[in-house]
Amino acid sequence: MQRKRYSPGRVPGTLLGLGAGLGVALGALTGCSAAGTAEDVTVDAKAGSAAAPVAPPGRYRTLFEPCGAVPQAALRELLPGTVALSDVERVKALRGTAAVTYDTDRRVGCTWSADTADGGSHRLVLDVERVVSYDPTVSDATRAQEVYTRKQLAAGIAVPVTPTPTPTAPATGPTTAPGTAGTGTAGTSGAATTTPPATTAPPGTKTSTTGTGTTPTGVPSSAATGAPSAGTPSTPATTGLEPRLLGGLGDIAFVGDTLGSAGGAGRQRVVSVVFRTSNVVVTVEYRQRTTGTAPAPDSKELQDRAQNLARLLANRLEE
């Protein structure tokens, strides 16, 4: 049997096949390892992302029973017509009528009313709303402020707007207009001084000269100076009873006041006091109606009574 000759530097075919297979296997392992690393980096990047901040919940989770929240003594003052009622009718009137709501933890209300002997009437309406935000990035108090703001605008009270600061232009050095060098007044950075033309009076009008210029003597001084004449209408004086913001009541509050007709010669005044405390908005509506030649309901009296009740309810929320 003849032996095959061995040549130095020549690799047998079997060894070449084994080497190629080993290279493919190593390449596959390297590819898997690289793919696994990329996935790990992706997972780590997601795990490190910051979550959106969650707004704090409102201070209140439940509401008080509205019809029992107003003391009997306060109701008798607000409804003077109950004095002439029988005991049974008085108890019924002071008990009030609860508003129909589907969730007493979200909104409650109560109404009281009583007629007076002269044909007039008083009516009290209490509405309490607990506002809840369904956006995790918006707090309950912020949503309650939106509800309050809509009521304030409806009462004709503007919402103060915070002015946007105007950027200040950079200071520049004094400039001199062409052809005006040396003609400016001291302290005006070279700006030219222009003398206003003299006023020419109409023909046949005498003029009087003063230190400030020439003024026609036949022209009223108010017309010459631009001052309003005696016939110019002035701004009506305020009484302090107009719809306005109130201080010291909840986080923010206002009072509204409207007067209108109530059938025939009757008049009706409606006073509303609205305030917000955290995520609760309270509305006290107090109205009085008069008939015939009776005077219109007194604004100050109704406002004082409504504000006193609102402060009593604000204290109730603090309990």
Side-chain angles (χ1 to χ4, degrees):
M1 180 175 181
Q2 186 177 1
R3 294 182 179 179
K4 294 183 180 181
R5 179 180 300 178
Y6 174 77
S7 299
R10 181 179 180 184
V11 180
T14 304
L15 294 177
L16 288 174
L18 291 174
L22 182 59
V24 171
L26 290 175
L29 291 175
T30 304
C32 292
S33 176
T37 303
E39 292 177 359
D40 293 343
V41 170
T42 302
V43 172
D44 292 341
K46 291 180 179 179
S49 62
V54 178
R59 175 181 176 185
Y60 301 98
R61 300 299 180 89
T62 59
L63 296 174
F64 53 77
E65 197 281 314
C67 292
V70 184
Q72 296 288 299
L75 287 173
R76 290 190 183 93
E77 180 184 6
L78 293 163
L79 307 172
T82 57
V83 176
L85 298 177
S86 64
D87 294 341
V88 176
E89 292 176 337
R90 185 184 306 109
V91 170
K92 182 179 179 181
L94 297 178
R95 184 186 301 127
T97 303
V100 178
T101 59
Y102 296 97
D103 187 352
T104 55
D105 285 336
R106 290 290 304 276
R107 191 165 193 169
V108 295
C110 193
T111 302
W112 300 264
S113 62
D115 297 334
T116 56
D118 58 359
S121 66
H122 292 81
R123 180 181 176 90
L124 174 66
V125 180
L126 174 61
D127 179 77
V128 185
E129 180 179 2
R130 184 177 69 91
V131 183
V132 177
S133 172
Y134 293 101
D135 186 344
T137 63
V138 180
S139 68
D140 295 342
T142 300
R143 289 293 187 223
Q145 179 62 30
E146 295 174 358
V147 174
Y148 167 86
T149 300
R150 288 194 293 268
K151 291 177 177 286
Q152 178 177 321
L153 292 175
I157 304 174
V159 177
V161 179
T162 304
T164 303
T166 304
T168 305
T172 58
T175 57
T176 304
T180 60
T183 61
T185 305
T188 59
S189 301
T193 302
T194 304
T195 303
T199 303
T200 303
T205 304
K206 296 182 180 181
T207 59
S208 60
T209 304
T210 64
T212 58
T214 303
T215 304
T217 56
V219 180
S221 59
S222 61
T225 60
S229 61
T232 303
S234 59
T235 303
T238 60
T239 62
L241 299 173
E242 298 80 8
R244 62 198 183 279
L245 297 178
L246 298 175
L249 179 58
D251 296 332
I252 187 171
F254 74 85
V255 57
D257 192 328
T258 59
L259 178 64
S261 59
R267 307 297 297 276
Q268 177 175 256
R269 184 179 295 279
V270 181
V271 171
S272 299
V273 176
V274 181
F275 69 91
R276 177 186 69 82
T277 298
S278 184
N279 61 319
V280 170
V281 179
V282 178
T283 302
V284 175
E285 182 185 279
Y286 184 43
R287 64 179 63 195
Q288 180 183 356
R289 179 176 57 86
T290 59
T291 59
T293 59
D298 184 75
S299 180
K300 185 178 187 307
E301 180 182 3
L302 268 64
Q303 287 192 24
D304 289 345
R305 291 178 178 179
Q307 289 185 54
N308 290 339
L309 176 58
R311 297 183 191 282
L312 186 150
L313 295 172
N315 294 334
R316 176 68 182 267
L317 287 172
E318 297 297 327
E319 296 177 355

